[in-house]
Amino acid sequence: MNKGLFQKMAAVTLALVCAAGQAYAAKHDGSTTIVRERGTAQANIRDRITNILGSTEPPRNRIFSPGTSRLMHRWPVESYDTGGTLLFSDSPEYVKEVGVLYRDTVTGDARVLYYHLNDTPQPKKVAVVLDTEADLATVTVTRGAAAAPSADYLHVGKATQIGYFDTRELNERIYVTKERPRLLVPAMNETLLAPGQLVYGVYDFHTNAPVRVSVIMYGADVDPFAFLRIAHVLPRDEIALRGTFRGMNRVITSQKTYRPTMDGAVYFPIGDNVHDVYRRGIDATDGSPVVNYGNYGILYQINIPTAGRENTRYLLSPLGGVYAGAVRAESGGKRVLVQTPATRAYFGDQTLPETEQVAQAREEGLLFLTQYTELADLGTYTSAQPVSFEYSPPGASNLPVNIILMPEK
């Protein structure tokens, strides 16, 4: 290491240590609030967390002992989008009347994500209805999940992801004709949303002919197919998180092979809209351009080549606020579901807000990891064989996050 680089790293380290202390003090004297990327029922979440926490003791991870820290470098990664079509239905998020929440026609591989809260005084239902102009369309559902509706939005988000990343695969066929529209999942017509409750579902499917997909909210005692014939499309809310996005998967890889003994602790961000940009698409209900702020519904396939005798440990660190989700890891032919976090219902609630110095250093590729950095352990794997992760931003959670690689020891 040359002297100039060492001096720069030392200066950055000192600045980050001081900034972290200032940020912690500011956060707990009531003068600073965490700025979150997305407004998903955040007023309710902030109030609930404030009431639950009570303690001003900063979080501590089990990776670093008190007083220790590590300077990480951003790992060079590249990405490309692939796969079928994502239909994203999250606007209006707080639904105040019955109607069509989103609608478009797809053929081939597709994914639908719906995330809506019943903001009416009466119980409602949310369903995904399939109809077609073809004589016969076969829709094969390959994976998916929807948690039971609840007013605990973080629980709904995490439970849906646990179901989606379950290691079991589906192969359920649905036959749709001109005369007979179908529900994507029959149980949708049996699931009630009480006022104030959230429903969140993600399903992957394939159709061999054009099928119109409609996400609807309708009355508890109403037939969904009869309702679809008279329902109108509801206008977007101010967040405007809905649309059709081509290329529903994003592959993240690296030309450079990570060697834990040589490279030490490294990181790369997901969902920061700088190094990992947000997807752009079209709102099919009116043709307007839209942005998927957070890349919700995008399935990330993370494949970083590794080598060496020492094992590699993988971690996830939330940067944007409260976070609760899951990932799926695969190595040596074995698939494992990992909750993020595994030891708590959620985390990220005590992540320190970034000061200007910390944010600038992170943009330049340097990040200080301390005993107070909130971390979810994604597992330790041999560096001699490939390991891949499936990741998707969970509903009700906040971005960005960092994926961290470090030597096991």
Side-chain angles (χ1 to χ4, degrees), residues 250-298:
R250 175 165 289 180
V251 177
I252 295 182
T253 187
S254 175
Q255 293 289 337
K256 185 178 178 182
T257 299
Y258 173 76
R259 303 174 186 273
T261 304
M262 295 174 55
D263 298 316
V266 302
Y267 73 96
F268 59 89
I270 292 180
D272 65 344
N273 202 30
V274 177
H275 305 97
D276 180 46
V277 298
Y278 297 151
R279 295 297 315 281
R280 295 183 177 273
I282 297 294
D283 184 338
T285 65
D286 62 9
S288 60
V290 291
V291 178
N292 185 342
Y293 294 100
N295 284 344
Y296 294 93
I298 299 297

Side-chain angles (χ1 to χ4, degrees), residues 210-336:
V211 169
R212 189 176 68 164
V213 181
S214 301
V215 183
I216 61 173
M217 178 175 281
Y218 57 106
D221 299 323
V222 175
D223 177 79
F225 307 117
F227 176 76
L228 186 66
R229 291 194 292 268
I230 61 171
H232 67 281
V233 177
L234 299 180
R236 296 185 300 267
D237 58 25
E238 66 278 5
I239 305 299
L241 276 173
R242 75 181 184 193
T244 299
F245 303 87
R246 309 298 179 185
M248 63 188 189
N249 304 323
R250 175 165 289 180
V251 177
I252 295 182
T253 187
S254 175
Q255 293 289 337
K256 185 178 178 182
T257 299
Y258 173 76
R259 303 174 186 273
T261 304
M262 295 174 55
D263 298 316
V266 302
Y267 73 96
F268 59 89
I270 292 180
D272 65 344
N273 202 30
V274 177
H275 305 97
D276 180 46
V277 298
Y278 297 151
R279 295 297 315 281
R280 295 183 177 273
I282 297 294
D283 184 338
T285 65
D286 62 9
S288 60
V290 291
V291 178
N292 185 342
Y293 294 100
N295 284 344
Y296 294 93
I298 299 297
L299 179 64
Y300 286 78
Q301 298 165 336
I302 302 171
N303 307 294
I304 307 298
T306 58
R309 295 182 178 181
E310 185 170 3
N311 294 338
T312 300
R313 188 172 196 175
Y314 297 78
L315 304 145
L316 182 148
S317 179
L319 302 177
V322 288
Y323 188 97
V327 303
R328 186 162 80 175
E330 183 171 356
S331 180
K334 182 180 179 181
R335 290 176 174 175
V336 180

